[in-house]
Amino acid sequence: MSSSEPVTRLGTHDVFNQPEPKRQNNYWTQDKALQEHAAANGARAGHLAIVAEAFGSERLQQAAVDARRDLPRLKLFDRAGRRVDEVEFHPGYHMLMAAGLEAGYVSLAWDGEAGGHATHAALVYYQAQLEPGVACPLTMTYAAVPALRNEPQLAEVWNPRLSSGVYDPSLTPIASKAGATLGMAMTEKQGGSDVRANTTVAHRDGDAYRLRGHKWFCSAPMCDGFLTLAQAEGGLTCFLVPRWLEGERNGMRLQRLKDKLGNKANASSEIEYHDALAYRVGEEGAGIRTIIEMVHHTRLDTVLAPAGLMRAALSEAHWWINGRSTFQKRLIDQPLMRSVMADLAVDTEAALSVGMMLAAAFDRDNEESRALARVGVALAKYLNNKRCIGVIAEAMEVLGGMGYVEETPMPMIYREAPLNGIWEGSGNVICLDVLRALSREPAAGEALMSLLASATGGDARFDAALKAHLARWPKLPNEAEARWFTESLANLLTAASLLKTAPSAVAEGFVTSRVAGDRGSFAGAIADLRVDDILERLETD
């Protein structure tokens, strides 16, 4: 044993029957499911392989731990009492931001090359495993690019910097920066998701506006600008609020940082606009229509992030059961444990599969794909996030008492699990959005039905479930049944993605247990899974 290795022979006992420490991860070579679904959906495999090595390095893994341990700090005033309204982060946070932007988290989707959104989706999946908090400003920056195209003059200045692949945290106006990030400040305490209830007001000031009001949530308040909604003379309107002006700070005052359940490395704040300078994005009164393109893209990321969180939990559990024995047998060799792990692996790969399929739809420049993406991201966001919490809880339980200890990543992953189900529309909002999309956009329903029909003929149980769904809901249901309807349709969409791209053991397992419902209520309460074939996909060289 080298002198740098931890001591295993202690005064009272020897340390044994513990898995060997994990020095680093490789989110590509150790993930057969990702390799296959990325290839099937046109993602850039070579780039993902390179980034995975960096993201799994000890350096960035430690930066993630540091960014979570040394939390963001609010600095309202300098020593002389002048307002500064800044948030200070551990250097690890800045390392992670730089790594994400340099990896192309934002830029690849908008560079005009094939597979940009699919590659971006895989990077979201990586980031959720490395440090989920940093994904918030990165995702908002990615999603802001299409929203700003509604105002070409702003897009000309901002979009090249948003998609530059450069992290520039300097406190300077946009014109002086090599790279920029963009956040959102939408909701107010009286309205939440009902942004029409917003009371922040906007008054003209020459070619610009001045905003005055309060925002209940503003994530990543050190971004270079924020898309926000305010009431102008013509109604609810979308605005871009720059964080830094020439020679002065904009009238954006930080009130406090939110003390959240998880997502600790990311600073979420409450802010006030004190006659903050803002620029209109889109027409007055068209705020929701303008911002919806940003929401559409952020929702794609809320489909992939839970897949990444599930994968992180599954990987930790798999590492544990490979390195630990009980009752004279390795945990991985015990039939009941294998059944539980295979069941969790099916949900994890299913979430990845549907997310990558939808990301590929974002890449295709045709109306059918755009229509499929519009309704598909809502369906998959709902299902993936509802499944995420249960999968992570079961994976935590696999580790026993150690899964509840902060020295492992499991508590952090568990605290992250509910977030993406809340962000960009909680469950009821999403289900109502599904009904709205299908009722107002016939093309969305047609594209969805076309995809589901294309998956028939390969599994009789899938065909029967689709027929039963259409018989149960020959037309859209009333609002009270929206969750049942959405869950059913989301399961069918996910099954269709698996039948097209996943190995038969995974696809058939999902159809058997999730679509046909031939199972009990909890993980491992299932028969007829091809356990060996499913678990083989978790093995690494």
Side-chain angles (χ1 to χ4, degrees):
M1 183 179 72
S2 71
S3 60
S4 62
E5 292 296 315
V7 176
T8 59
R9 290 185 174 275
L10 307 180
T12 59
H13 65 285
D14 293 342
V15 178
F16 66 99
N17 196 24
Q18 287 282 324
E20 289 298 313
K22 288 193 291 185
R23 298 279 188 246
Q24 61 183 39
N25 296 311
N26 189 304
Y27 300 133
W28 179 257
T29 61
Q30 297 172 356
D31 195 335
K32 295 175 184 176
L34 175 62
Q35 293 172 35
E36 293 172 11
H37 291 291
N41 291 288
R44 304 174 198 175
H47 182 80
L48 291 172
I50 293 170
V51 172
E53 186 171 354
F55 271 36
S57 67
E58 285 190 75
R59 173 177 172 269
L60 285 189
Q61 297 285 329
Q62 186 60 50
V65 172
D66 293 341
R68 291 191 290 267
R69 183 186 60 228
D70 190 352
L71 300 183
R73 294 188 294 272
L74 181 60
K75 182 180 179 182
L76 292 179
F77 302 92
D78 70 5
R79 62 183 292 174
R82 306 177 188 92
R83 284 205 73 119
V84 293
D85 293 286
E86 295 173 10
V87 179
E88 296 177 337
F89 297 92
H90 187 278
Y93 173 88
H94 295 292
M95 288 171 58
L96 295 167
M97 286 291 293
L101 288 169
E102 290 166 8
Y105 191 110
V106 176
S107 59
L108 292 177
W110 310 114
D111 65 8
E113 301 296 324
H117 287 283
T119 310
H120 161 82
L123 294 177
V124 176
Y125 179 75
Y126 284 178
Q127 189 69 63
Q129 296 175 68
L130 174 61
E131 171 38 54
V134 177
C136 178
L138 295 177
T139 284
M140 291 188 295
T141 301
Y142 151 75
V145 171
L148 287 179
R149 289 172 179 165
N150 287 282
E151 205 63 48
Q153 287 183 315
L154 291 175
E156 184 179 357
V157 174
W158 283 82
N159 280 357
R161 292 169 172 84
L162 298 179
S163 55
S164 68
V166 174
Y167 179 53
D168 181 356
S170 61
L171 311 185
T172 56
I174 185 67
S176 304
K177 297 179 74 80
T181 55
L182 205 65
M184 290 193 296
M186 298 293 174
T187 59
E188 300 179 8
K189 65 177 68 173
Q190 74 280 359
S193 296
D194 182 11
V195 293
R196 290 180 177 84
N198 284 6
T199 60
T200 297
V201 295
H203 297 293
R204 278 191 175 277
D205 182 3
D207 293 333
Y209 290 75
R210 295 286 177 173
L211 304 189
R212 194 165 188 83
H214 174 270
K215 294 293 179 180
W216 191 229
F217 276 97
C218 173
S219 284
M222 290 302 285
C223 285
D224 296 291
F226 302 88
L227 288 180
T228 194
L229 294 173
Q231 301 287 355
E233 186 176 346
L236 191 65
T237 303
C238 180
F239 295 94
L240 171 61
V241 180
R243 189 75 168 86
W244 321 106
L245 305 178
E246 290 290 347
E248 62 177 320
R249 294 163 187 257
N250 206 356
M252 177 176 157
R253 302 288 181 254
L254 304 186
Q255 300 301 302
R256 58 175 172 166
L257 299 185
K258 298 290 191 180
D259 187 7
K260 300 168 295 185
L261 171 68
N263 211 242
K264 295 291 190 176
N266 175 43
S268 298
S269 63
E270 190 175 328
I271 68 168
E272 287 182 347
Y273 291 132
H274 287 258
D275 297 325
L277 184 70
Y279 300 97
R280 194 185 70 226
V281 182
E283 297 300 319
E284 281 197 7
I288 294 176
R289 187 168 68 248
T290 301
I291 205 66
I292 201 67
E293 190 69 17
M294 186 177 188
V295 172
H296 178 51
H297 285 80
T298 54
R299 281 185 178 174
L300 174 65
D301 289 13
T302 64
V303 173
L304 272 303
L309 293 172
M310 284 189 264
R311 174 68 194 189
L314 183 70
S315 296
E316 193 72 16
H318 188 254
W319 166 77
W320 178 262
I321 63 176
N322 268 284
R324 189 162 174 86
S325 299
T326 185
F327 305 117
Q328 292 77 52
K329 187 184 292 185
R330 283 197 315 159
L331 286 174
I332 186 63
D333 296 325
Q334 300 192 15
L336 185 55
M337 180 62 77
R338 292 178 68 80
S339 179
V340 170
M341 287 294 292
D343 206 3
L344 300 180
V346 168
D347 269 334
T348 301
E349 184 163 347
L352 172 65
S353 174
V354 71
M356 293 302 294
M357 180 190 71
L358 291 169
F362 277 69
D363 278 320
R364 293 190 296 271
D365 188 21
N366 61 71
E367 181 52 39
E368 182 177 9
S369 295
R370 288 191 290 270
L372 173 64
R374 281 194 293 273
V375 67
V377 291
L379 291 167
K381 169 177 159 51
Y382 181 79
L383 188 67
N384 282 6
N385 286 291
K386 292 299 181 189
R387 291 254 161 86
C388 180
I389 299 172
V391 167
I392 292 172
E394 291 285 356
M396 178 186 286
E397 189 174 316
V398 167
L399 274 68
M402 280 306 299
Y404 206 67
V405 174
E406 293 286 352
E407 287 177 302
T408 77
M410 299 305 285
M412 180 276 291
I413 298 169
Y414 186 71
R415 287 192 294 267
E416 292 290 333
L419 175 61
N420 291 282
I422 297 170
W423 189 39
E424 297 298 36
S426 55
N428 285 356
V429 172
I430 294 299
C431 292
L432 295 175
D433 280 356
V434 168
L435 297 187
R436 191 177 300 111
L438 293 175
S439 65
R440 295 181 180 179
E441 300 183 59
E446 292 166 6
L448 180 60
M449 287 301 117
S450 176
L451 173 68
L452 296 178
S454 72
T456 59
D459 190 307
R461 294 161 304 172
F462 174 83
D463 298 353
L466 177 57
K467 183 177 180 181
H469 175 92
L470 295 174
R472 177 66 184 80
W473 293 289
K475 60 181 182 179
L476 293 178
N478 60 51
E479 182 178 313
E481 289 187 18
R483 283 198 172 213
W484 184 11
F485 173 83
T486 297
E487 179 182 340
S488 174
L489 202 50
N491 272 321
L492 289 167
L493 175 65
T494 302
S497 75
L498 289 167
L499 289 167
K500 288 176 177 292
T501 61
S504 59
V506 178
E508 291 170 5
F510 186 89
V511 172
T512 297
S513 58
R514 279 71 173 172
V515 175
D518 187 12
R519 61 166 300 132
S521 300
F522 307 113
I526 185 172
D528 299 327
L529 278 185
R530 288 160 52 185
V531 170
D532 291 347
D533 292 337
I534 294 169
L535 291 184
E536 186 275 332
R537 294 172 67 70
L538 301 182
E539 297 297 335
T540 58
D541 296 332

